[in-house]
Every structure is written in C-alpha cells, then in structure tokens.
Amino acid sequence: SKLNHCTIDHAVIGDGSIIMGSTIKRCVFGIRSYVGEGSVLEDVVVMGSDYYETDEQLAGDLARGRPHLGVGMGCRIKGAIIDKNARIGDGCVLVVDGKADGTYVNGAVIIRDGVLVVPKGAVLPPGTVV
C-alpha cells in the first residue's frame, strides 16, 4: 500500500491500496483501493478493485471522460459503502445526512436505512452531488 501525505484516524487499509493526500476518518479500505488527492472520507467502507488499470486503460478512460477506478480527487464522502470496481469522479460529494431512502443519480447511488451505497461497477461523473 502507498499512503502519501495523508491524515488518518482509525482506518484499516487493505493490500495494494493507494491513498494520496487525503483525510481519512473511521474507514475500511479493501484490496487495491484508490483515493485521489484532496479527498475527505469519513465513516466509509471502500471494497476496492479486482484489478489495476493499465496505462492504456487510463488513457482510454480519459478520452471517453470516464473516471478511473476508485475515488477521484477533491471528493467528500461520509457514511457510505462503495462496492468493488466503482468509479467516482473528481469533486463528487456523497453525504447521507438528511437524505431519504431511495435511488439517486440514475441508480448509481442507493440510500437505505441511513447508509449511502454505491453499487458494484457504478460510475459517478465528476461533480456529482448527492
């Protein structure tokens, strides 16, 4: 795992995770989890990824405007479970506080019993706010 310039308070971090310049509080990260620079995660479970993306895949994602695997830069996430292979774009805000149970962002986010869930393989475009 690589943790660069992070503030971490009570976290479990799985093998192969890469967390860059982020603030982490009471979180669990599964294998190959990625968190971009400047993100703040609190009370979050990130399941990780089945694989690392190759340079060609990263370039293809960039060309199609699709976020990379994991959590992008400058995100704020609180009270969430992020399933495997989810793609959360830069600047997303996913906070469960005060939200009613239901489906948001065309099924890419589900809230049940006060827990925000991003399902397996979901893609959230940059700047998504829930």
Side-chain angles (χ1 to χ4, degrees):
S1 294
K2 286 200 277 187
L3 310 170
N4 296 324
H5 305 289
C6 296
T7 301
I8 300 173
D9 180 24
H10 292 87
V12 176
I13 300 171
D15 293 341
S17 296
I18 301 170
I19 303 174
M20 312 289 288
S22 297
T23 301
I24 307 299
K25 295 179 183 176
R26 297 176 303 277
C27 295
V28 176
F29 294 93
I31 191 167
R32 291 181 289 273
S33 294
Y34 178 83
V35 179
E37 199 166 332
S39 292
V40 177
L41 280 69
E42 185 174 344
D43 300 320
V44 176
V45 175
V46 180
M47 303 302 273
S49 300
D50 289 326
Y51 57 93
Y52 291 112
E53 290 183 294
T54 64
D55 290 337
E56 293 79 24
Q57 289 171 320
L58 293 172
D61 289 343
L62 187 61
R64 290 191 309 257
R66 181 171 134 168
H68 302 311
L69 284 172
V71 177
M73 297 187 303
C75 294
R76 188 166 62 92
I77 303 173
K78 183 177 179 184
I81 298 172
I82 301 170
D83 208 344
K84 276 189 149 187
N85 301 327
R87 298 169 183 268
I88 298 175
D90 296 342
C92 288
V93 178
L94 307 175
V95 180
V96 74
D97 297 338
K99 307 277 187 327
D101 284 4
T103 304
Y104 298 83
V105 194
N106 297 324
V109 175
I110 301 163
I111 297 178
R112 292 285 183 268
D113 298 325
V115 178
L116 187 146
V117 178
V118 178
K120 185 174 185 175
V123 178
L124 295 178
T128 300
V129 177
V130 175

